[in-house]
Amino acid sequence: MKKSKQGNQPTVLVGTQHDWFQRGQARDDSTNLVVQVPFGGSDYNAPVEADANVKLSHAIADRDLLARQLERSLHEAKHHLEVDKAQLGVAVERKKLAERHFEISRTSFEAGEMELLDLLKIESAARTAIRDAELLAIQLKRDTARYNQVVGEMP
């Protein structure tokens, strides 16, 4: 706005003028002094100001939208991180119980108290529990990376 108002500032112009009315006669020399004082500056600049205000309003709206999106992303990242931590704790406990159950079942099988089919089912359940715990550990690391990205930490 300040740049556009520079052409609307008060100015003083000084100039000379030389006229001959007829050839051979004396010429008429004159000096001109022009003082320009702008009137109606706000009316003159109103369209430019309105355009600048519209652009400013759009920029503020875009900024606020981006801030809301970032806030929502931060909330979601925190939520996923908390859920993954809780699930990982449960999965680790389940893994420990499954491993212990498999060891006891193997001892029972070696003692002849259990059939092979039952041992294989227990082994499959134990491997599933181990795999689930490992996948949740990976998911926790991914969600931690997402959270760090949302808060602006470099990897």
Side-chain angles (χ1 to χ4, degrees), residues 72-91:
R72 186 180 62 224
S73 295
L74 178 62
H75 176 73
E76 288 177 4
K78 282 182 182 178
H79 176 71
H80 286 295
L81 200 57
E82 291 171 5
V83 168
D84 286 346
K85 285 180 182 179
Q87 286 179 342
L88 182 61
V90 171

Side-chain angles (χ1 to χ4, degrees), residues 4-154:
S4 69
K5 286 187 176 183
Q6 287 178 353
N8 199 19
Q9 299 296 321
T11 56
V12 176
L13 300 172
V14 178
T16 60
Q17 184 175 355
H18 307 285
D19 290 327
W20 282 286
F21 294 110
Q22 290 182 355
R23 199 168 273 279
Q25 291 185 357
R27 66 181 184 183
D28 184 22
D29 293 325
S30 59
T31 304
N32 299 327
L33 175 64
V34 177
V35 178
Q36 180 182 3
V37 178
F39 292 103
S42 62
D43 292 340
Y44 176 77
N45 292 319
V48 178
E49 288 178 14
D51 185 46
N53 284 331
V54 167
K55 289 179 182 176
L56 176 64
S57 297
H58 286 299
I60 289 171
D62 290 344
R63 182 201 63 195
D64 291 345
L65 176 66
L66 183 60
R68 285 191 302 275
Q69 288 173 343
L70 289 174
E71 187 176 326
R72 186 180 62 224
S73 295
L74 178 62
H75 176 73
E76 288 177 4
K78 282 182 182 178
H79 176 71
H80 286 295
L81 200 57
E82 291 171 5
V83 168
D84 286 346
K85 285 180 182 179
Q87 286 179 342
L88 182 61
V90 171
V92 167
E93 288 299 316
R94 186 172 168 247
K95 173 187 162 190
K96 288 179 185 177
L97 290 173
E99 287 173 341
R100 180 71 179 135
H101 186 228
F102 177 67
E103 288 176 22
I104 292 171
S105 298
R106 188 174 48 206
T107 304
S108 294
F109 174 75
E110 289 171 358
E113 298 174 358
M114 179 181 272
E115 292 187 21
L116 178 62
L117 187 58
D118 294 332
L119 178 66
L120 292 176
K121 288 179 184 178
I122 293 170
E123 181 183 16
S124 175
R127 291 192 187 279
T128 301
I130 292 169
R131 186 183 68 240
D132 289 346
E134 290 172 353
L135 289 175
L136 283 171
I138 292 169
Q139 185 63 37
L140 178 65
K141 289 179 182 179
R142 284 182 184 158
D143 286 341
T144 302
R146 272 193 206 109
Y147 175 80
N148 290 341
Q149 182 180 13
V150 169
V151 295
E153 289 186 26
M154 295 299 289

